[in-house]
Amino acid sequence: MFIKCGNCHRRHSSIAAVRACSQGSEISSCSWLVDTGHCTEDGEAVIVECGADSWTTDRGWRCATGHSHVPADIRYQEGWDYVTADEAAGFANETGRLPVLMNGHP
């Protein structure tokens, strides 16, 4: 489903993208890498860019499918940071900041 935007007169993939465009955010294509669940003939996973509409926010950027990113300076000010599952165990003790996995869960 695409919605014609009254601001830029292009089509966006969600109401959230139309709202962001109307509020002055530049709409671009999400570059978050997504596993398609398919494999090549060699058995390697097929990874592609999300491609959905994305826009800047006051805390970074977000896309129509739910991907988002918060820059390092804002994460530092808010007292948290992205970590891998392996890093999470001792992260709070070592840094005094809340560890957050890439899926958004603490």
Side-chain angles (χ1 to χ4, degrees), residues 8-44:
C8 69
H9 306 291
R10 295 189 337 237
R11 297 187 183 278
H12 301 304
S13 62
S14 70
I15 292 171
V18 171
R19 283 187 185 131
C21 184
S22 296
Q23 294 171 351
S25 290
E26 184 177 329
I27 307 299
S28 59
S29 180
C30 178
S31 60
W32 197 276
L33 298 179
V34 179
D35 186 345
T36 63
H38 300 294
C39 294
T40 65
E41 292 177 2
D42 297 330
E44 294 181 28

Side-chain angles (χ1 to χ4, degrees), residues 49-72:
E49 287 189 0
C50 169
D53 286 343
S54 69
W55 55 92
T56 56
T57 68
D58 58 341
R59 294 184 66 233
W61 64 266
R62 168 173 307 281
C63 96
T65 62
H67 300 129
S68 64
H69 180 73
V70 178

Side-chain angles (χ1 to χ4, degrees), residues 74-86:
I74 293 175
R75 296 191 309 259
Y76 183 80
Q77 291 171 3
E78 293 177 351
W80 65 277
D81 206 353
Y82 294 121
V83 297
T84 64
D86 295 337

